[in-house]
Amino acid sequence: MKKRNKYLLLVSLFIWIPLLADAQHGTIQESLVVDSSILEEDVQYSIYLPPDYEESNRNYPVLYLLHGFTDDETGWIQFGQTKAIADKHLKSVDVASMIIVMPDAGVSWYVNNYNGEVRYEDFFVEEFIPHIDETYRTRPQKEFRAVAGLSMGGYGTLIMAMKHPDLFAAAAPLSAGVLTREEVTEMEVENWNNVFGPVFGEDLEGEERLTDHYMDNSILQLVENGESESLGSVQYYIDCGDKDFLI
C-alpha cells in the first residue's frame, strides 16, 4: 500500500509540476483588431494577460505600452520582451498583476494630425481605452491606469498623461522624442517631411513649423503653460540613456 501511495504521489507530481510552471506565465494575444469609427479603419493591438487572468474573476490595472516611430503593435513583444519581463517581475512579486496593452499607432505620434484626417488621440481616448475596459476585466479608474512608451511612444506617453491627466495615475516616457524649438526650426526639410510632415504639415520651413497645432502638442509648451495641480496628479518616471541622441 505504501509503495502504491508513493507511485500515485510521483504521478501527481509529474502531472501538476508542469501545470504549476505554466500558471506562472502570462499569455500574449497578438494583432487583435478594434474597429474605429473615428479613424474609419481597423486598428490592431496586442495584449498581455497575467498568469492568473483565466483562473480568476478579479479586475486588473492596465498599462498602455506605446511603440516607437515606424514600429507597430508587435514591437514591444518581439524586441522589448514584454512577456518575459512581465512574467519575471510578477513571479518575484516585484509588481502588481496587470494587463499590458500595446496598440498600433503607425507614425501618428499619438496625436490628431494638422488637418483632422487622422485623429489618433481622439481614437485612443474616446474609443480604444473604453474598448479595453469593456472587453477585459480591467479596473477602469484613473488610479489603476498607466502609460509608458519609447521614443515616439515616449512622446505619446507625455501627450496622453499631460493632456489627459484625469485618465492616468502614472507615466513612464523612455527616450521620449521631445524636441526643442531650435531643433524643430532648423531640421532639414526632407527629414521634417518624412517624420513630422504628415502630423504637423508638410513642406514647412523654419518658424512656419511652429503652428498653433504644433504648439498645442509641444511637450515643452504643455509643461510651461499647464496647471501644476493637473500635471502633478500624474506620477512620472522619465528615463533616457546618456549616450542616446534624444538625451
Side-chain angles (χ1 to χ4, degrees):
M1 182 64 100
K2 287 183 179 179
K3 186 179 286 188
R4 185 183 175 204
N5 288 342
K6 286 182 179 178
Y7 174 75
L8 289 174
L9 178 60
L10 195 60
V11 171
S12 297
L13 287 173
F14 275 116
I15 293 173
W16 285 103
I17 285 176
L19 293 177
L20 290 171
D22 287 343
Q24 295 174 351
H25 296 281
T27 58
I28 288 284
Q29 296 178 16
E30 191 171 317
S31 299
L32 304 173
V33 172
V34 55
D35 180 17
S36 170
S37 60
I38 290 176
L39 294 177
E40 299 183 337
E41 64 180 12
D42 289 343
V43 178
Q44 293 185 310
Y45 68 96
S46 297
I47 192 165
Y48 169 90
L49 299 175
D52 57 345
Y53 186 85
E54 297 299 336
E55 286 74 36
S56 76
N57 63 354
R58 62 171 291 196
N59 290 5
Y60 296 83
V62 181
L63 167 64
Y64 288 86
L65 195 52
L66 312 182
H67 67 75
F69 190 73
T70 72
D71 219 328
D72 60 26
E73 80 285 353
T74 67
W76 277 107
I77 298 169
Q78 295 178 4
F79 307 114
Q81 301 183 41
T82 298
K83 183 181 182 301
I85 293 171
D87 283 348
K88 174 184 175 182
H89 287 282
L90 289 176
K91 184 177 179 181
S92 60
V93 201
D94 287 342
V95 297
S97 192
M98 72 180 76
I99 294 170
I100 303 174
V101 183
M102 296 154 277
D104 180 24
V107 292
S108 68
W109 287 85
Y110 300 92
V111 297
N112 300 340
N113 78 333
Y114 70 100
N115 60 13
E117 290 183 356
V118 182
R119 295 164 50 210
Y120 192 89
E121 182 183 342
D122 290 348
F123 154 75
F124 192 92
V125 171
E126 298 174 21
E127 290 184 330
F128 189 59
I129 290 178
H131 170 78
I132 296 299
D133 287 338
E134 291 166 7
T135 306
Y136 303 93
R137 297 196 314 275
T138 69
R139 303 188 73 174
Q141 300 83 6
K142 163 190 167 81
E143 292 79 6
F144 305 105
R145 188 184 296 116
V147 59
L150 174 72
S151 191
M152 183 185 84
Y155 169 88
T157 295
L158 289 167
I159 283 290
M160 294 301 170
M162 297 174 72
K163 294 179 74 172
H164 307 280
D166 56 313
L167 295 179
F168 301 97
L174 311 173
S175 297
V178 177
L179 302 181
T180 65
R181 185 187 187 101
E182 291 73 23
E183 287 173 317
V184 170
T185 58
E186 295 173 8
M187 186 180 299
E188 294 290 335
V189 173
E190 182 179 1
N191 194 25
W192 170 265
N193 282 342
N194 289 337
V195 180
F196 298 106
V199 180
F200 298 112
E202 296 180 352
D203 297 323
L204 301 178
E205 297 187 41
E207 298 283 329
E208 292 179 337
R209 297 167 180 169
L210 303 177
T211 62
D212 289 344
H213 178 69
Y214 177 84
M215 300 305 280
D216 287 343
N217 291 286
S218 163
I219 300 303
L220 301 182
Q221 286 295 118
L222 290 171
V223 171
E224 186 174 337
N225 300 329
E227 297 179 4
S228 58
E229 183 177 350
S230 177
L231 294 176
S233 70
V234 180
Q235 292 185 316
Y236 288 90
Y237 174 86
I238 301 174
D239 182 69
C240 189
D242 57 12
K243 295 183 189 286
D244 191 317
F245 78 98
L246 289 166
I247 192 66

